[in-house]
Amino acid sequence: MSNEAVENYLEQLYPVNPVFNRIRERIAEFGLRDISVPDGYGRLLTMLVRLSGATHALEIGALGGYSGCCLLLGLPADGRLVSLELKADYAELAKGSLIEAGFGERVEYRIGEALDSLAQLEAEGARFDFFFIDADKENYINYLEYAIKLARPGAIIAADNLMLRGRTLDEGKQGPSVQAMRRFNEIIATDERLESTMLPAYDGLALAIVRK
Ligand code: SAH
Ligand code: MG
């Protein structure tokens, strides 16, 4: 029984969700490979945001707005999402997705290198209670440090793609993103500022609470 067979079996139990299908359709129409979070983790993000009572979420890596929509679904009506995206045209695609989903007023896109936007948010004194890290893997450790800095006590940090489609476990792979991800996973498991777990399904998801 492979991971994938289990994921596919569980996924097909769910009715088609037109909002999410539409976002995936927009990503395809734009000509992008759909590397949005899998539906199963998207539902988990929505549930975690709702369960935690978060009101301010920060996403690093927007693509077509799929995970942004999941985060907004879990936020209260006055909740806000800030989303950091390198590419202006992706941010526009994502914004269009969220407008169609009825969330246009509640999201702010900041375009450019996420590290620059994070420094700016720090300078502004911004604070968040939910983080989703899902951009360039070389910077995951830097993003984690910023998330801890910008966290309200008890904030939740989620991070996608721990396994890099198998490369994390392949000793033949020693590129910068693979090495960074191995180190990131070690930090998630051992950093005393965090309480954490890592989910092995799909491409691996880290979940951490910033200790009070
Ligand atoms: N979170 C999205 C998928 C994000 S894919 C979802 O699940 O729906 C990764 C995104 O990170 C891409 O859109 C890419 O343009 C963006 N990205 C890559 N490097 C970045 C950087 N240095 N700063 C900000 N965004 C970056
Ligand atoms: Mg991802």
Side-chain angles (χ1 to χ4, degrees):
M1 188 173 66
S2 71
N3 239 6
E4 205 181 349
V6 175
E7 291 157 8
N8 291 340
Y9 160 67
L10 296 175
E11 194 52 58
Q12 55 84 34
L13 299 172
Y14 283 84
V16 167
N17 180 320
V19 174
F20 290 125
N21 268 21
R22 176 68 191 130
I23 297 177
R24 293 200 187 279
E25 198 176 278
R26 287 171 53 83
I27 292 169
E29 284 166 3
F30 200 84
L32 287 176
R33 188 163 65 97
D34 185 0
I35 51 169
S36 312
V37 279
D39 297 344
Y41 279 166
R43 289 190 295 267
L44 177 62
L45 290 174
T46 302
M47 291 171 70
L48 288 172
V49 170
R50 204 190 314 287
L51 280 167
S52 67
T55 57
H56 289 74
L58 178 69
E59 166 183 77
I60 308 178
L63 195 74
Y66 186 97
S67 57
C69 187
C70 297
L71 298 170
L72 280 159
L73 274 169
L75 287 167
D78 58 351
R80 301 270 303 160
L81 170 69
V82 175
S83 180
L84 312 183
E85 172 54 51
L86 181 63
K87 304 201 165 160
D89 52 343
Y90 294 6
E92 204 167 309
L93 174 70
K95 174 97 190 189
S97 299
L98 293 189
I99 289 171
E100 278 194 28
F103 291 129
E105 301 302 307
R106 288 161 50 188
V107 61
E108 175 194 347
Y109 284 93
R110 295 204 179 190
I111 295 157
E113 283 291 342
L115 282 179
D116 296 339
S117 301
L118 288 162
Q120 180 64 38
L121 287 165
E122 189 189 10
E124 292 168 17
R127 292 291 178 273
F128 299 91
D129 35 30
F130 200 99
F131 298 84
F132 181 47
I133 301 173
D134 193 23
D136 52 319
K137 310 312 169 193
E138 290 89 335
N139 274 314
Y140 261 41
I141 296 167
N142 299 327
Y143 296 154
L144 179 64
E145 280 306 318
Y146 264 114
I148 293 171
K149 266 193 242 176
L150 300 179
R152 290 183 180 149
I156 296 179
I157 301 172
D160 192 27
N161 306 110
L162 309 182
M163 302 316 300
L164 297 173
R165 288 156 214 273
R167 286 185 292 143
T168 302
L169 272 180
D170 180 347
E171 289 193 9
K173 305 281 184 196
Q174 296 295 341
S177 44
V178 180
Q179 294 203 28
M181 193 57 88
R182 287 178 189 139
R183 184 72 197 119
F184 176 84
N185 292 342
E186 287 166 11
I187 293 170
I188 288 288
T190 57
D191 194 303
E192 290 183 350
R193 297 170 295 175
L194 303 173
E195 180 181 354
S196 78
T197 192
M198 288 180 271
L199 306 183
Y202 304 102
D203 201 22
L205 186 78
L207 296 175
I209 296 176
V210 182
R211 291 186 197 278
K212 295 192 181 174

